Amino acid sequence: MSDDNGGLPGDAPPLAGSEHLNIKVTDNNNEVFFKIKRTTKLEKLMSAFCDRQGKSMTAVRFLFDGTRVQPTDTPDHLEMADGDTLEVHQEQVGGAAF
């Protein structure tokens, strides 16, 4: 029995290691890699990317698998995996009038 209990702590480190994800954020000109916890709101990552690129959060939108990412979303909520990519696009206001 003591051997079974001894195996449980050995299982814990991989779970702790999977707590973080490496996420790539790209705007097709720049790629920035972030390591964040699965439960961290993506607002933190979005804000950091905008600060580094000199962009306003209101001037861009973030997409994951074609779906717009909200600042309150987390990697767990979006079912993101290690190495996934967030795309950054310029926010467009209005449209062409014909």
Side-chain angles (χ1 to χ4, degrees):
M1 283 191 166
S2 62
D3 288 289
D4 291 336
N5 290 339
L8 292 176
D11 293 338
L15 294 174
S18 65
E19 184 178 311
H20 289 85
L21 293 174
N22 292 302
I23 304 295
K24 178 172 77 170
V25 182
T26 181
D27 63 2
N28 291 325
N29 294 322
N30 304 295
E31 291 183 346
V32 181
F33 293 84
F34 293 92
K35 184 175 183 177
I36 64 169
K37 290 184 178 181
R38 294 179 177 274
T39 56
T40 299
K41 290 182 182 177
L42 290 173
E43 179 178 25
K44 189 172 182 180
L45 177 147
M46 295 159 71
S47 177
F49 180 83
C50 288
D51 288 347
R52 289 185 188 186
Q53 302 303 320
K55 297 181 181 188
S56 169
M57 286 272 291
T58 58
V60 296
R61 56 191 165 110
F62 291 79
L63 300 178
F64 175 64
D65 285 344
T67 303
R68 189 162 186 170
V69 174
Q70 300 301 317
T72 55
D73 288 337
T74 65
D76 266 352
H77 179 255
L78 298 176
E79 299 180 359
M80 296 179 82
D82 192 51
D84 277 345
T85 300
L86 285 181
E87 297 175 9
V88 183
H89 297 276
Q90 192 71 31
E91 185 70 70
Q92 293 181 337
V93 179
F98 292 99

